[in-house]
Amino acid sequence: MLFVEYPKCTTCQKARAWLETRGTAFDSRHIKEDQPTATELTAWYQRSGLPLKRFFNTSGLKYKELGLKDKLSTMSEEEQIALLASDGMLVKRPILVGANFVLVGFREAEWTAALNG
């Protein structure tokens, strides 16, 4: 399982602690130092079943600086994915990639269901 995180993020810290408490084995990846590629993001987006907008860190400074709230709706999926791949800080985190699921953001009930399913 791959756990994509920004270690300074409190939500990521909570998710990591939750995984460790459960004894879940995972490989950790620092989203800023080793940002997801367009190919990875495309695969994760397609497997997740989520709208692409859910992959954006809408509360992040970069998102706000770029005025993406108003721009995303006019961009193609390819443009949005290229933008996400250009800066790990634009990507919502944490992301948990398992054999049969991709989870974006930490919602304990969702994570519990995915790991127990």
Side-chain angles (χ1 to χ4, degrees):
M1 204 166 333
L2 176 64
F3 179 64
V4 184
E5 65 174 325
Y6 181 59
K8 292 180 183 177
C9 164
T10 54
T11 303
C12 293
Q13 291 168 3
K14 245 197 301 193
R16 174 183 272 280
W18 184 86
L19 288 169
E20 289 171 346
T21 299
R22 295 174 55 94
T24 305
F26 61 89
D27 294 317
S28 178
R29 181 165 158 191
H30 191 301
I31 200 163
K32 192 169 180 178
E33 293 173 1
D34 185 9
Q35 58 197 37
T37 65
T39 302
E40 287 174 317
L41 288 162
T42 300
W44 297 344
Y45 158 58
Q46 291 170 345
R47 285 181 53 209
S48 73
L50 297 169
L52 187 53
K53 187 177 189 319
R54 285 277 307 274
F55 279 80
F56 280 89
N57 178 14
T58 57
S59 58
L61 292 175
K62 189 83 171 178
Y63 182 89
K64 292 174 182 171
E65 277 174 20
L66 295 173
L68 294 177
K69 179 182 174 200
D70 301 318
K71 294 179 183 173
L72 283 184
S73 61
T74 64
M75 296 172 73
S76 69
E77 280 188 2
E78 293 77 20
E79 289 170 323
Q80 290 181 46
I81 287 170
L83 186 59
L84 284 167
S86 74
D87 188 335
M89 297 309 282
L90 284 172
V91 181
K92 177 91 172 161
R93 60 214 179 241
I95 298 174
L96 188 63
V97 182
N100 302 312
F101 60 83
V102 175
L103 303 172
V104 180
F106 179 58
R107 290 186 178 90
E108 190 172 333
E110 271 182 21
W111 286 42
T112 300
L115 293 177
N116 292 339

